Structures are given as C-alpha cells and as structure tokens.
Amino acid sequence: MIEIKDLHKSYKMGSNSLHVLKGINFSVEEGELVAIMGSSGSGKSTLLNILGMLDVANSGEYNLDGVPIKNLNETKAAKYRNKFLGFVFQSFNLINYKSALENVALPLYYQRIPRKERLERALKYLEQVGLKEWATHLPSELSGGQKQRVAIARAMASEPKVLLADEPTGALDSVTSYEVMDLIQKINDQGNTILVVTHEDDIAHMCKRIVHLKDGVIVEDKKVKQVRASEYV
Amino acid sequence: MFDLERWQEIFDTIRKNKLRTFLTGLSVASGIFILVILLGFGQGMQNGVAKEFSEDASNRIIVWTRTTTKEYKGLNPGRRIQLRNENNEYVQEQFKEDIARKSAIYRVGGSTVVFENENLGYSVQGISPGFQFIENQFISSGRYINELDEKEAKKVAIIGRKIAREIGKSYEEIVDNYLDISGIRFKIVGVYTDGGGDREEDRIFIPITTAQRVFNGADKVNNLTFTLSPSENFEASVEQSKIFTNNLKNYLKEAHMVSPEDNSAINAFNTLEESKRYFGLIGNIKFFFWFVGICTIIAGVVGVSNIMLIVVKERTKEIGIRKALGAKPWAIIGMILHESIFITAISGFTGLIFSMGLLELIGPHVEVDYVVNPSVNFSVAMSTVILLIISGAIAGFFPAYRAANIHTIEALRDE
Ligand SMILES: Nc1ncnc2c1ncn2[C@@H]1O[C@H](COP(=O)(O)OP(=O)(O)OP(=O)(O)O)[C@@H](O)[C@H]1O
Ligand SMILES: [Mg+2]
C-alpha cells in the first residue's frame, strides 16, 4: 500500500538547514496497523505529513497504492488527499461552527457529493463511532474523546486507502485513549490500513507493528502481538 | 455562481457566524449610507444655489442712462441722456435675430397710489408684456398685462403679491377692482409673484403706452430690457450677449452723440456675465462633493478590504482543515470571494435602500437657504454600490489567495 525509498527531508533554518529525515526505507501492506514511535523531534510528524502529502520530501521515492507521488502541485495534492487519505490530529481540528454531522460530511463536499447523500453517509459514520445522538452538537459541546471520535468518523467518511493519525490520543486521558484505540482497531479489523504516531508504549502495543524513529532513521521495525483495547474499556 | 452546493455551504457559514457577518455588513451598509446622504446634500446645495440665482432670467440685459462725462462734437459734458421710443423701436428692429423678449420701462415719478381710500406707497412702472419673462414673474391671480393692453393703452394694472398681502384682502376682492394712480382709475387685472421674493414684489405695473400717455411721458423711456435667444451652449451665450451689449451701446452712443470713450452716459448690465461667476461657484461645489464622495468610496473600499483581511486571517485554521480534507486552492478562494461578494452586495443594497428612502422622505421637505431638495441620482448610487462590491472582491481576493496558498501544516497550527 505504502512504499518509500531513501526519503530525505531537511528544513531550511536561515543559513543552515536541519536534516530531519535521513533516508527512510519502509513499506506498509494493506490492512496493517502501524505505530510510529520515537522521541520528541525525531521526525515522526514530518514523516506522517509527507505520507499525507501535506509536505514534500527533498528526495526519495514514495508510492501510494502503486501511484508514484511526486511533483505534486497544490491542486493535485488536494485531490489525492481527498481520495486516498484520512487524517486524525492530536488537536482534533474540527470546524467549530459546524455540527458533528457537518464536520463529518465536509470531505464529501469536496468530493462533490450532493448534500442529502453527504449527510446520510456522514450519519452512518457517526453511528459507527457511537455518536449518532450527538450529530447536531457543535464541537464545543463534546468531550475530548467524543471530538476525536468525530474526527475519526470524518477521516473515514471519504473511505480512504490509508488513515494517518498523529498522536490521536495525545490530548486524552488513558480511559478515553483506549476507547479511541478500540475504535481504531475496529476500523483496522474491517481491513483499513492505519498509521498511528504515538509516544506511549501501551498505545503502540495496541497496533500490530511498531516502527522506531531515531535521529531521522528507522532504528527498529518489529511486528508485535496486538493488545486489544477492549480489554481495558 | 450557480453552484447550489456552494450557496448552501455559504449560507451555513453566514448563519453560524452571525456576528461577524453582521459587523461586516454594517460597515459596508453604513459606508454606502453616508456616501448617498452626502451626495444627496451635495445635490441639494447645488439645487439651492441654482435656485438662489434663478430669480431673474439669467441672460437678461438692462440699459440705463446718466449724464455725459466727456466733451464730444462740440457738446459739453454733463448733458442728460434721455432714451426715447424711437431708440427702443430701432433696437428691436435692428437686433430682431438676437432678442427673445423685450420691454422698455417708463417709471412714473411722484405718483400716489390709493386703493379703497388707503394710500399705498409703491412705485409705478410702465412695461411691455415681455417684462414678465425678463423678470421671471408668475401670475398668482388674474392675468399679466397683454399686447392689447399695450396697444390700446388701457388703464389696467397688476400688483405684486407683497402689495396684495399688505392690502390684506383676498385676491378675489382685489382683482377686477380699481386703483387710483395720481387720481386716475386703473383696473387691477392680476397679482404677480417674483422669483426674487418680497423685495421684487412691491411694484405696480401698467402698460408702458398708458404710462407715457397718461402721466405726460411723451416718448420718454427710462430703461431698455431684453433677454436673448439661447445659443447652443453657455460660453456661446456669454459671447453673444457681450457682442449684443456692445453693439447696443455703440448705437445708443451714436444716436445720442455721446463720445465712444464715455463709459458713464450709456450703461448696460449683462446678467449672463454675472451669472458666469455663480455657475463657476456651482461647478466648484459639485467638484467638492464629488471629491468628498470619492474619498468616502476610497475609505469604504479600504474598510471592506480590511474586513476581508481580518476575516481571512481569522479563518486560517479552518482553511487549513478544509485543505487537509481535500479542498483545492481555488475552492477556498471561490468560497471566500463568493461569501464576501454576497455579504457586501446585500448590505450595500440595504444601505442604498435606507439612504435613498430617507432622502425620498425628508428631501422634499428640506428647504433652508442654499439646500433645496437633496436627492441623489439612482444610477450614480447604484454604480457606487457595484464599485464597492467589485473593489471588495478585488480587495478580498489577495488575502484569500494568500490564505489558500499557505502551507496546510502552518495553517493548521494557527490558533
Ligand atoms: N516547518 C518546520 N520548520 C523548521 N523546522 C521544523 C519544521 N517542522 C518541524 N521542524 C523540526 O523538525 C524536527 C522534527 O519535527 P517533528 O515535528 O517531525 O518531530 P516529532 O517527532 O513529531 O516530535 P513530537 O513528538 O514532539 O511531535 C524538529 O526538530 C522540529 O523542530
Ligand atoms: Mg509530532
């Protein structure tokens, strides 16, 4: 599903540049649930942003579902993001004046799906994350866990090939974190490919594979026995 | 424009950001409101000035005489020049082409006027029917002195509205009644009003022929007055009246043996040259209000641009989210512009309707000195609104364009 070869990324900081990713080689099969770990500043978010086409690498290859991702202009990147990718952020990034339902329906608006169908489909995904009753509520009326579940529903609404989550539990307490991970596991069970950036070991062990980043390179890449989050909930 | 989905998206945004929308709209609406009121009063002032100087027909020429000041052809200075009927007739014949209206004036000196045993101290003047148009007079009741009155030297008179007011009787009780002028009965046939107001309504007019015959005027004339036929434009009219005045003076000087260098004996006052000054004043006022108006529009445009800048800045994070979800840059720009055009249009027209309504309502009642019926040209106001919408869109485009091209990650980081 994802294939990257010798990926380099550096940020220009005035006269000197900061080399963040120093040759990443890594591939992900369909249906995998991968945790990306590493200390702060090791380049996890940078990697995820490149995979999400929110940022571009300086060099290296990137194939997504057999499509080479290179020389993207903004318009094309937007199209690919909309078609192939779903994002979940640490800070939820919901639009505050839109209801839960409208937030979930938003990616479908950019797929030019008619309003009625859009809202029907959004409601289906809200139901999947257990928030059907909260459909008309604004984000400010939801708890952190609920917000993140809305964000996950939104990421799933466009039926992406890959779900990218940057510290989805970073802003949540442990119980809520497990609820969110339970949801992510269930989505993965349906065959979706998911990458989760996390700091926490217990969250990482709820994935099927852990990739360790250090100083811009992968230092460890191992399959693990998945711990089901439902055991804790 | 016809993307229904986008309209819905925009209505959603507007509905859920009422305060922001209201404030944006309010500033646009009040800008237009102020502009229209301003332009309205500019027009009002122009009307006022025009009215102030419209008392008399503006291309009026009046001729009068004094004593000579220069020796000429053996004649001593200090000789009184007296205009006569023959001068009048000659001029009327000679300058037929130029003259539109004409009337000679013979002032009846030392007359006493009595109406129903009451002494009225007003001057009496003999005129021709053309005088009505030269002095810009209107008839309040009855009629003006006509050709027949003049031809048959009838004993008829018309009096000013002010005189009628001082008599203190209704027009019905005055018109068709009689007046004594130095013991001779005259029938009052009408009451006139003058554009110049009270101070020009205190004269009693009788036919000039009557005045000369009854009051021993012989063929004496005090003044010659004319209005000229209009030329194609103002400048040409001024030129025409200048030439006419000169020719007239030259003829009169020659006929009365006055030195060509004598600038005192024969006088002619040409209101057109005078009014040129006032027209210049009106032009300046017009210019001033346009200047203020344009400044207001510029202020409005700057205001709208500022609002757009703030709105876009405030929505940076939202734009980042939309982009992460797959919005293309042009979709973002389109959305922002669409929304801003919609809001400026609605509020611009609201401001327009309110201000035009106000002007319609109070405009006709405003009549203080120099401000009459403030009103505004609808198409001018309309173009202003459209100009404001367009400039708002242009002003909104740049921040929208920039926002749409901010790096998505950076936009998401914005708080
Ligand atoms: N836009 C940028 N410009 C300059 N430097 C950047 C930029 N984004 C990230 N960096 C730097 O690159 C390095 C890697 O950042 P990144 O966000 O990928 O780290 P991370 O592994 O996600 O850390 P954390 O766990 O704290 O989120 C950091 O040193 C950071 O300061
Ligand atoms: Mg990070």
Side-chain angles (χ1 to χ4, degrees):
Chain A
M1 179 60 67
I2 290 174
E3 222 168 310
I4 52 178
K5 278 201 195 105
D6 203 25
L7 198 77
H8 283 265
K9 175 72 183 178
S10 50
Y11 289 111
K12 282 236 155 21
M13 306 273 285
S15 55
N16 46 349
S17 71
L18 183 68
H19 206 167
V20 180
L21 298 179
K22 304 166 181 170
I24 305 277
N25 290 291
F26 150 85
S27 56
V28 178
E29 299 301 320
E30 188 167 357
E32 274 199 280
L33 175 52
V34 184
I36 298 170
M37 294 195 73
S39 55
S40 187
S42 57
K44 304 181 296 291
S45 296
T46 306
L47 176 60
L48 207 71
N49 287 340
I50 291 171
L51 292 177
M53 291 175 241
L54 295 172
D55 207 346
V56 283
N58 299 103
S59 66
E61 276 177 39
Y62 173 20
N63 281 291
L64 177 63
D65 199 25
V67 181
I69 306 298
K70 58 177 182 189
N71 302 332
L72 289 185
N73 60 26
E74 279 273 7
T75 308
K76 208 148 191 201
K79 198 172 127 201
Y80 281 2
R81 276 202 295 274
N82 190 248
K83 247 168 83 178
F84 297 149
L85 301 164
F87 291 95
V88 177
F89 304 93
Q90 180 177 348
S91 56
F92 323 124
N93 283 341
L94 299 175
I95 292 178
N96 55 20
Y97 64 81
K98 283 182 178 289
S99 70
L101 186 68
E102 288 164 340
N103 263 291
V104 176
L106 194 57
L108 302 175
Y109 169 72
Y110 289 111
Q111 284 183 1
R112 319 204 111 257
I113 290 170
R115 186 182 177 83
K116 194 157 172 282
E117 191 187 335
R118 216 155 71 208
L119 294 177
E120 273 167 15
R121 270 167 68 173
L123 194 64
K124 200 181 82 192
Y125 282 97
L126 264 188
E127 193 171 10
Q128 267 187 28
V129 301
L131 290 173
K132 196 182 175 188
E133 283 73 43
W134 296 85
T136 58
H137 287 248
L138 292 176
S140 56
E141 298 159 353
L142 302 175
S143 73
Q146 287 173 324
K147 279 186 213 172
Q148 198 58 297
R149 274 147 67 195
V150 172
I152 291 170
R154 182 178 66 183
M156 294 309 297
S158 57
E159 293 169 357
K161 293 190 190 305
V162 179
L163 186 66
L164 301 171
D166 194 347
E167 306 196 36
T169 61
L172 306 174
D173 62 40
S174 55
V175 177
T176 323
S177 296
Y178 296 149
E179 281 171 11
V180 167
M181 280 313 290
D182 183 42
L183 185 61
I184 286 175
Q185 285 178 340
K186 279 178 182 154
I187 291 166
N188 176 243
D189 291 344
Q190 291 164 10
N192 293 296
T193 313
I194 304 175
L195 272 71
V196 180
V197 167
T198 182
H199 270 118
E200 293 145 276
D201 258 329
D202 52 345
I203 298 296
H205 278 90
M206 291 174 180
C207 299
K208 293 171 175 170
R209 177 181 162 194
I210 300 176
V211 173
H212 253 280
L213 272 185
K214 195 181 177 194
D215 294 335
V217 289
I218 295 175
V219 290
E220 196 186 11
D221 186 347
K222 62 175 184 197
K223 301 247 157 133
V224 293
K225 193 181 167 308
Q226 189 182 36
V227 177
R228 295 302 294 194
S230 52
E231 290 169 25
Y232 295 90
V233 190
Chain B
M1 253 317 187
F2 302 105
D3 187 339
L4 190 65
E5 294 288 326
R6 191 155 80 188
W7 276 110
Q8 279 171 338
E9 182 71 16
I10 283 162
F11 282 135
D12 271 356
T13 312
I14 289 172
R15 201 167 46 236
K16 285 163 184 165
N17 293 282
K18 286 199 184 83
L19 185 67
R20 185 178 76 199
T21 310
F22 175 74
L23 290 177
T24 312
L26 187 71
S27 53
V28 173
S30 54
I32 289 288
F33 185 86
I34 291 167
L35 176 71
V36 170
I37 296 293
L38 215 86
L39 287 179
F41 271 85
Q43 183 65 46
M45 263 182 97
Q46 203 180 310
N47 294 347
V49 171
K51 184 178 182 242
E52 213 65 30
F53 295 112
S54 74
E55 300 159 8
D56 306 312
S58 48
N59 61 348
R60 188 169 60 128
I61 292 163
I62 177 159
V63 178
W64 72 97
T65 54
R66 288 199 291 241
T67 52
T68 56
T69 55
K70 288 208 163 62
E71 191 197 346
Y72 188 61
K73 290 190 176 166
L75 292 167
N76 286 331
R79 187 164 53 90
R80 245 210 90 74
I81 301 299
Q82 177 64 58
L83 296 174
R84 308 222 168 242
N85 280 349
E86 58 174 33
N87 298 137
N88 190 28
E89 280 150 21
Y90 179 86
V91 170
Q92 287 182 6
E93 182 56 34
Q94 197 65 19
F95 301 102
K96 249 202 321 258
E97 246 91 280
D98 293 321
I99 296 170
R101 308 279 186 181
K102 55 198 183 268
S103 171
I105 301 174
Y106 175 70
R107 279 192 229 103
V108 179
S111 55
T112 53
V113 181
V114 179
F115 180 78
E116 294 184 354
N117 300 327
E118 204 156 332
N119 242 311
L120 303 172
Y122 297 106
S123 72
V124 178
Q125 297 182 8
I127 49 134
S128 298
F131 196 70
Q132 178 181 4
F133 305 98
I134 295 168
E135 277 285 308
N136 225 14
Q137 292 167 339
F138 302 91
I139 281 297
S140 289
S141 182
R143 63 173 179 83
Y144 207 81
I145 286 164
N146 61 28
E147 304 281 351
L148 196 67
D149 297 332
E150 188 182 8
K151 196 164 154 239
E152 297 181 356
K154 287 190 180 169
K155 294 195 189 70
V156 292
I158 55 168
I159 63 170
R161 180 176 55 176
K162 186 187 171 195
I163 302 173
R165 207 179 317 127
E166 251 153 67
I167 289 171
K169 293 212 162 130
S170 72
Y171 290 158
E172 289 84 59
E173 292 172 281
I174 294 171
V175 175
D176 288 341
N177 279 321
Y178 289 85
L179 186 75
D180 274 17
I181 301 175
S182 298
I184 296 162
R185 268 157 66 87
F186 279 75
K187 187 177 181 184
I188 303 172
V189 292
V191 179
Y192 70 88
T193 53
D194 193 296
D198 273 4
R199 67 194 149 81
E200 296 199 19
E201 287 174 1
D202 58 359
R203 285 176 289 177
I204 295 165
F205 294 112
I206 59 177
I208 186 165
T209 45
T210 319
Q212 288 172 334
R213 219 168 283 173
V214 176
F215 299 105
N216 306 320
D219 62 346
K220 287 182 196 157
V221 166
N222 292 97
N223 302 102
L224 305 180
T225 60
F226 308 95
T227 63
L228 300 186
S229 330
S231 296
E232 61 266 35
N233 61 44
F234 185 72
E235 290 305 317
S237 299
V238 172
E239 199 49 39
Q240 181 205 14
S241 67
K242 244 181 183 163
I243 293 170
F244 174 82
T245 314
N246 272 335
N247 290 342
L248 185 64
K249 273 165 134 179
N250 288 343
Y251 154 71
L252 289 173
K253 281 179 183 172
E254 210 181 290
H256 293 273
M257 299 220 265
V258 175
S259 157
E261 273 85 53
D262 191 335
N263 289 323
S264 168
I266 309 281
N267 303 278
F269 179 75
N270 179 346
T271 48
L272 199 57
E273 258 181 289
E274 198 65 11
S275 67
K276 205 174 160 183
R277 262 182 41 219
Y278 300 125
F279 276 104
L281 180 67
I282 292 175
N284 284 342
I285 289 172
K286 225 176 184 169
F287 172 79
F288 171 74
F289 275 95
W290 268 110
F291 177 75
V292 173
I294 285 166
C295 287
T296 315
I297 293 176
I298 291 172
V301 169
V302 171
V304 170
S305 321
N306 267 330
I307 293 163
M308 287 311 299
L309 215 72
I310 292 164
V311 166
V312 169
K313 185 126 189 58
E314 189 193 309
R315 295 179 75 177
T316 305
K317 192 184 174 84
E318 181 195 333
I319 289 167
I321 296 170
R322 285 174 183 272
K323 283 179 74 181
L325 296 179
K328 290 166 190 162
W330 278 106
I332 302 285
I333 297 169
M335 174 184 76
I336 291 172
L337 283 190
H338 198 159
E339 194 186 309
S340 78
I341 291 172
F342 179 70
I343 294 172
T344 38
I346 293 290
S347 42
F349 287 119
T350 307
L352 184 71
I353 288 166
F354 270 98
S355 50
M356 302 264 315
L358 188 70
L359 282 182
E360 277 301 306
L361 220 67
I362 66 156
H365 303 292
V366 173
E367 196 163 337
V368 292
D369 274 355
Y370 293 101
V371 181
V372 173
N373 189 18
S375 58
V376 79
N377 186 324
F378 183 71
S379 58
V380 168
M382 196 73 176
S383 344
T384 318
V385 173
I386 289 168
L387 181 71
L388 210 66
I389 292 168
I390 291 172
S391 49
I394 293 170
F397 175 81
F398 293 101
Y401 184 82
R402 216 190 50 208
N405 286 296
I406 300 178
H407 216 288
T408 310
I409 301 166
E410 236 115 82
L412 283 173
R413 238 181 248 140
D414 190 86
E415 276 312 323

